[in-house]
Amino acid sequence: MKFGTLFAYWTQDWRGDYIPAAKKVKDIGFDILEVGAGDLLTMTDTELSELKAVSKDLGLTISSNIGPPKDKDVASPDPSVREAGIAFLRDIMKAMDRIDSRVLVGVTYTYWPGQFDDLDKPAIWARGVESVKRLGRVAQDLNIDLCLEVVNRFETLVLNTSEEGIAFCKEVDNPRVKLLLDTFHMNIEEDNLPDAFRLAGDYLGHVHVGEGNRKLPGQGHLPWEAMGQALRDIGFDGGVVMEPFLKAGGRVGEDIKVWRDLSNGADDKEMDRMIRESLSFLKKAFAG
Ligand code: MN
């Protein structure tokens, strides 16, 4: 297992400044920096090359995270929106290839956050499968793992559990199309968190970790040792990436619905100390 964090721990904006972020996460002891995949499309060639060079230099892997907007929903009833979604994610994967980022994660089978104005789940599901089949072929060509993120009921109606994710992957039937399970979402939807990881087995490509309120691993009540055991049981060797959201404000605070300060008033130095401590806790819990 390799450990990482989403860049947004240090910002209230989804737009990241990835060179300093890469240096910082490496210094803290992470192996993976998770970036906002949409940003890759607005970065210049020089910026992309620089990010690739710096991360290579640091020995850091980059995973890319996207919640596609509604006008790029690959499961939309409108064929032109579906095509726009597929083109958007294809362009992202091409940009990822340029920085040697080999894992695309997020709600790439529809859009995010869900607005629930169309509740015909079987039809949305079927269109999603067809589009993800096409995206899977792009991922395969570019040597990228497309890890579909299972999220809770308040964020999408399509994939809410490990079991649903597996069923979806089976329909897509492409070895590069896998699942991302996130402990924050799992805590809402799964009967048993370690068992949900075991069920996913070889379909599991990436893991997001955070407590039930999206605090840092070790700051809440989730069963970290038992989840680590489950990941070892299935021989999971992918990325374990934190997605901590402690500060209210900005687009990040709005999209994630952080309506209060969960950091106990931490300044920058204390934020760094807390994530360092959490990484050491997590490594211990997952190493067994
Ligand atoms: Mn997540």
Side-chain angles (χ1 to χ4, degrees):
M1 281 180 254
K2 285 188 160 190
F3 296 87
T5 186
L6 183 69
F7 74 96
Y9 181 66
W10 291 278
T11 168
Q12 303 317 118
D13 197 326
W14 286 123
R15 180 77 164 90
D17 193 357
Y18 297 121
I19 305 288
K23 291 176 179 163
K24 186 160 197 135
V25 306
K26 183 65 190 182
D27 177 59
I28 286 168
F30 289 107
D31 316 300
I32 304 169
L33 170 67
E34 194 153 296
V35 304
D39 285 346
L40 303 179
L41 299 180
T42 62
M43 287 165 70
T44 64
D45 287 353
T46 315
E47 286 171 326
L48 289 172
S49 312
E50 201 187 349
L51 179 56
K52 180 182 177 176
V54 168
S55 58
K56 195 138 280 180
D57 219 37
L58 294 168
L60 205 63
T61 301
I62 297 178
S63 52
S64 303
N65 186 324
I66 191 74
K70 197 175 184 195
D71 63 0
K72 300 199 168 50
D73 173 11
V74 301
S76 167
D78 179 341
S80 68
V81 174
R82 291 203 296 278
E83 289 306 319
I86 286 169
F88 175 64
L89 293 169
R90 187 193 296 124
D91 288 346
I92 282 176
M93 286 191 270
K94 284 182 183 163
M96 286 171 59
D97 185 50
R98 298 186 58 186
I99 59 163
D100 204 19
S101 172
R102 301 291 158 201
V103 182
L104 178 59
V105 309
V107 185
T108 52
Y109 49 91
T110 180
Y111 70 100
W112 181 89
Q115 291 169 17
F116 307 100
D117 44 6
D118 175 2
L119 302 178
D120 188 352
K121 179 163 171 167
I124 298 169
W125 177 294
R127 289 189 298 263
V129 166
E130 285 317 303
S131 293
V132 174
K133 279 184 180 175
R134 290 173 59 191
L135 292 170
R137 288 194 281 273
V138 178
Q140 216 162 9
D141 287 347
L142 294 171
N143 192 26
I144 285 171
D145 278 343
L146 181 60
C147 298
L148 312 177
E149 181 159 6
V150 175
V151 298
N152 73 72
R153 67 187 68 184
F154 304 108
E155 301 185 29
T156 189
L157 54 67
V158 188
L159 300 183
N160 296 147
T161 63
S162 178
E163 190 178 9
E164 286 186 312
I166 294 162
F168 194 95
C169 282
K170 282 185 175 163
E171 287 186 39
V172 171
D173 191 24
N174 180 319
R176 300 313 292 258
V177 177
K178 300 178 181 176
L179 290 181
L180 159 55
L181 293 180
D182 177 323
T183 60
F184 159 72
H185 299 293
M186 295 166 79
N187 179 56
I188 295 172
E189 301 296 347
E190 303 286 356
D191 295 332
N192 179 298
L193 282 70
D195 284 353
F197 281 128
R198 283 194 193 91
L199 188 69
D202 289 342
Y203 285 105
L204 190 65
H206 198 77
V207 173
H208 277 165
V209 288
E211 294 286 358
N213 52 11
R214 310 205 87 155
K215 281 193 181 182
L216 288 157
Q219 294 185 325
H221 68 94
L222 295 196
W224 296 103
E225 276 82 10
M227 292 193 291
Q229 183 62 55
L231 292 173
R232 292 195 301 281
D233 288 350
I234 61 171
F236 178 70
D237 65 354
V240 175
V241 172
M242 295 181 187
E243 270 190 317
F245 297 103
L246 306 185
K247 296 283 190 189
R251 275 305 300 273
V252 174
E254 262 179 54
D255 284 348
I256 300 294
K257 302 183 173 53
V258 185
W259 308 128
R260 67 188 193 281
D261 177 31
L262 282 85
S263 76
N264 202 21
D267 59 13
D268 291 352
K269 210 174 143 203
E270 175 63 5
M271 289 289 280
D272 288 359
R273 192 202 61 77
M274 287 194 297
I275 199 168
R276 237 180 243 278
E277 181 179 81
S278 176
L279 176 59
S280 136
F281 166 85
L282 188 66
K283 279 183 172 172
K284 206 173 289 171
F286 279 16

